Amino acid sequence: MNLFRERGRLLALVTLVLVAGFVTTSLASYWVSRQEIHRSIVNNALPLTGDTIYSEIQKDMLRPVFISAQMAHDTFLRDWIIAGEQDTSRIERYLAEVRLRNQTVTSFLISEHSRHYYHHQGLLKTVAETDPRDAWFFRARQLKADYEINVDTDYANRNKLTIFINYRVNDYAGRFIGITGVGITLDSMAKLLKSYELRFGRQIYFLNQQGEVVLTGRADQHRGSIRQQAGLSDIAEQILSRNTEPTQLVYRQGSEEIQLNSRFIPELGWYLVVEQNETRLLRPAQRMLLINLLISALVTGVVIAAALYSINRTQRLLEKLASTDALTRVNNRQAFEVLLKQKGLELARQPRPLCGVLLDVDHFKLLNDQHGHQVGDTALRALGQLLREQGRAGDVVARWGGEEFIVLLDDCDLAQAAQWAERLRERVAAAPLGLPAEQSLTISLGVCRWERRETRAAFFSRLDQALYRAKAQGRNRVVVDESAAPDTVAGVLPEDD
């Protein structure tokens, strides 16, 4: 009866611990996921998307600016204006060729003398100070810079919103004689926004200085003013602050919380806005929390029926995990320390040669940077498998740390250890190790023999110095430390003072 009562108490305790553990773990996991999602959005996702799009815009602007600069310094164009603008068919052909060759939506020239507006299809009009549509020309005449980037409607192309590069043209004496340049459509920018929205799952759009949405990646996106939109109206003034540095804001739209990153782009006179709905991103984590709680309840019921068996099984599994590196399946550092002491006791009873091999993967950080940590982990697992396969009975293989491994070769002299290390080096260099076809992996190895009465610190220091020399000499090689006396046989490894 007492035993039954004790078992009941044990099962009740196990149940309580399991339920509390499952619930605590699930809630903690959800909280960590939520914090990580928030941190990722605020610190990485939105700023990176904004920076990427801004860089793309600047890149797209460089080419038309270069084209316009060539036009402004073209001797034909300047000579044609200076000569009195005779035979307009010549300038028409010139502008048409510029447009066709560079695939711009338009190319144009306005003469300061005649005020004629020429484009690729001929004479469009004569600009006048009384026409509000020509205000850009009279503003550009006063520019101190060589050019400006202006977003305006192109009345030669059905009033389509276009980005114009207005480049000043001077004669050979430096006097202003006109404005020339090209125009590029906003369609390409809209396609860019759409591609990034699909790729990153974020809403991206441009605002003018009045707060009106002027360009989006989706045709169904609201085009009104943010001053009249719920949630956005509360932070509209902060968005429209003409700050060229990224501004991180947050607003609520109903029950959803939305993170927003904005910046003013002086080249366009617009604001680039990138939004991420944080609430929607959290929904999978919330669903996973409910699933985890349901699974926890089911698992708890199963565990109650087999509590004692599960405890024993778990205990054995924990003992195994405590001594094995989870990634490479070789001994971990703690297990190596235990095995090293055992090896020392064996050598005290039966002295024999013992050599150590310390190896390091060459340029492992570069491999991770180029192909990702998943590829790097795959390579380490494959390397651990090779070490287990090449190790002999009685040898100790362990992960020393990061991409370093250590092997103790029992009853093995220095020459044999060097041969063993060289075979391993060649095998690693020839093995695919789960890497991309064009990628190979090499290792550097240091080898030394354990001297009698040598402390562990001195032994590992010599081993580390041998590895250091292998890497310093160009990597992908074996360096042997031969400082031990030829007749030295390892005995008990003294404890470090």
Side-chain angles (χ1 to χ4, degrees):
M1 194 67 176
N2 290 336
L3 180 61
F4 180 77
R5 207 177 293 119
E6 288 297 326
R7 184 173 297 177
R9 290 198 190 101
L10 177 61
L11 290 175
L13 179 61
V14 170
T15 302
L16 180 62
V17 170
L18 284 174
V19 170
F22 280 134
V23 172
T24 302
T25 302
S26 298
L27 292 177
S29 176
Y30 171 71
W31 184 84
V32 170
S33 298
R34 180 172 182 169
Q35 293 299 109
E36 187 59 34
I37 288 172
H38 176 79
R39 190 180 303 110
S40 176
I41 293 173
V42 173
N43 298 334
N44 298 317
L46 290 185
L48 180 60
T49 304
D51 291 343
T52 301
I53 296 175
Y54 183 50
S55 298
E56 290 292 331
I57 292 171
Q58 288 183 316
K59 183 182 70 176
D60 289 342
M61 290 296 100
L62 287 177
R63 182 172 172 271
V65 168
F66 178 70
I67 296 168
S68 301
Q70 286 186 312
M71 295 171 66
H73 295 90
D74 194 314
T75 55
F76 163 76
L77 185 144
R78 292 193 288 179
D79 289 344
W80 186 83
I81 297 175
I82 295 170
E85 305 172 38
Q86 299 175 5
D87 190 2
T88 59
S89 64
R90 298 178 65 197
I91 199 65
E92 291 172 21
R93 288 195 301 271
Y94 174 82
L95 294 175
E97 180 66 19
V98 169
R99 174 179 173 272
L100 179 63
R101 185 171 63 250
N102 297 287
Q103 297 182 342
T104 60
V105 70
T106 187
S107 56
F108 61 90
L109 167 67
I110 298 91
S111 168
E112 168 69 5
H113 175 71
S114 66
R115 301 290 170 84
H116 287 169
Y117 188 134
Y118 302 97
H119 72 120
H120 61 278
Q121 292 180 334
L123 178 62
L124 180 64
K125 61 174 292 187
T126 300
V127 298
E129 293 187 73
T130 56
D131 189 342
R133 296 183 303 175
D134 298 333
W136 68 269
F137 173 77
F138 298 97
R139 181 190 66 249
R141 292 173 69 236
Q142 309 303 322
L143 283 176
K144 293 183 179 179
D146 291 333
Y147 70 94
E148 69 168 2
I149 300 175
N150 182 38
V151 180
D152 205 347
T153 56
D154 184 4
Y155 39 80
N157 189 23
R158 301 187 300 278
N159 289 327
K160 196 169 186 178
L161 200 61
T162 304
I163 300 176
F164 290 98
I165 312 299
N166 301 324
Y167 215 105
R168 291 169 55 88
V169 183
N170 297 324
D171 64 12
Y172 299 105
R175 293 184 294 268
F176 175 75
I177 59 174
I179 298 287
T180 191
V182 296
I184 57 175
T185 179
L186 291 182
D187 290 345
S188 59
M189 201 173 297
K191 291 177 182 177
L192 179 67
L193 296 188
K194 184 176 181 180
S195 69
Y196 276 98
E197 285 189 344
L198 293 174
R199 186 185 306 175
F200 297 111
R202 300 176 187 97
Q203 186 169 326
I204 305 166
Y205 54 92
F206 283 99
L207 304 172
N208 62 18
Q209 297 186 43
Q210 289 71 47
E212 298 169 339
V213 179
V214 293
L215 183 65
T216 71
R218 303 199 313 265
D220 60 341
Q221 189 168 324
H222 181 65
R223 291 264 185 164
S225 172
I226 62 172
R227 300 182 191 275
Q228 277 79 50
Q229 296 186 36
L232 276 172
S233 58
D234 299 331
I235 58 173
E237 295 305 322
Q238 293 172 270
I239 295 175
L240 305 174
S241 61
R242 296 182 66 87
N243 188 1
T244 56
E245 293 298 320
T247 300
Q248 190 69 38
L249 301 169
V250 61
Y251 72 94
R252 297 197 67 85
Q253 197 171 67
S255 61
E256 298 180 334
E257 186 170 282
I258 298 172
Q259 297 289 340
L260 180 147
N261 182 277
S262 71
R263 74 165 81 200
F264 180 69
I265 301 180
E267 293 93 338
L268 300 177
W270 289 351
Y271 295 88
L272 170 63
V273 180
V274 181
E275 291 184 359
Q276 179 73 71
N277 191 315
E278 185 173 346
T279 303
R280 293 179 186 174
L281 277 183
L282 284 173
R283 285 173 185 166
Q286 293 168 348
R287 287 195 294 269
M288 185 56 64
L289 172 63
L290 294 177
I291 293 173
N292 284 340
L293 292 176
L294 178 60
I295 293 174
S296 299
L298 295 174
V299 170
T300 301
V302 173
V303 170
I304 291 174
L308 295 177
Y309 172 78
S310 298
I311 292 172
N312 292 334
R313 182 182 178 89
T314 302
Q315 181 64 33
R316 290 193 298 269
L317 179 61
L318 289 175
E319 290 174 356
K320 182 178 179 180
L321 291 175
S323 63
T324 305
D325 179 67
L327 178 63
T328 61
R329 301 301 180 189
V330 299
N331 294 307
N332 59 22
R333 187 76 173 261
Q334 291 76 15
F336 177 79
E337 293 293 336
V338 174
L339 294 171
L340 182 63
K341 290 182 179 179
Q342 294 177 351
K343 190 66 67 177
L345 294 175
E346 291 178 15
L347 295 177
R349 293 191 300 268
Q350 184 180 359
R352 57 186 182 271
L354 181 71
C355 289
V357 179
L358 183 62
L359 62 99
D360 180 79
V361 179
D362 296 330
H363 304 296
F364 187 71
K365 182 179 183 303
L366 182 61
L367 175 69
N368 276 337
D369 291 343
Q370 290 180 342
H371 300 285
H373 289 275
Q374 187 173 359
V375 172
D377 289 348
T378 300
L380 289 180
R381 279 193 293 269
L383 179 56
Q385 178 65 26
L386 283 179
L387 287 170
R388 292 197 302 273
E389 293 173 357
Q390 189 156 324
R392 308 165 308 162
D395 293 344
V396 177
V397 179
R399 188 175 180 185
W400 192 244
E403 63 272 19
E404 287 187 341
F405 294 82
I406 189 167
V407 183
L408 292 180
L409 300 175
D410 195 358
D411 197 13
C412 179
D413 61 29
L414 195 59
Q416 292 173 325
Q419 293 173 0
W420 185 93
E422 182 60 27
R423 286 196 302 271
L424 177 63
R425 185 195 65 79
E426 293 174 351
R427 188 173 177 186
V428 169
L433 299 178
L435 299 175
E438 72 281 359
Q439 183 70 45
S440 61
L441 194 72
T442 62
I443 57 174
S444 300
L445 305 96
V447 181
C448 73
R449 183 175 54 200
W450 190 353
E451 295 186 32
R452 187 185 297 275
R453 291 179 296 278
E454 185 178 25
T455 65
R456 280 184 288 185
F459 172 69
F460 289 126
S461 176
R462 289 196 302 118
L463 200 56
D464 191 62
Q465 286 297 318
L467 174 61
Y468 176 80
R469 291 198 300 274
K471 299 179 78 67
Q473 293 173 17
R475 295 182 172 87
N476 190 21
R477 66 189 60 237
V478 176
V479 169
V480 179
D481 185 312
E482 300 180 347
S483 59
D487 58 347
T488 299
V489 176
V492 179
L493 190 64
E495 295 290 340
D496 295 329
D497 294 331

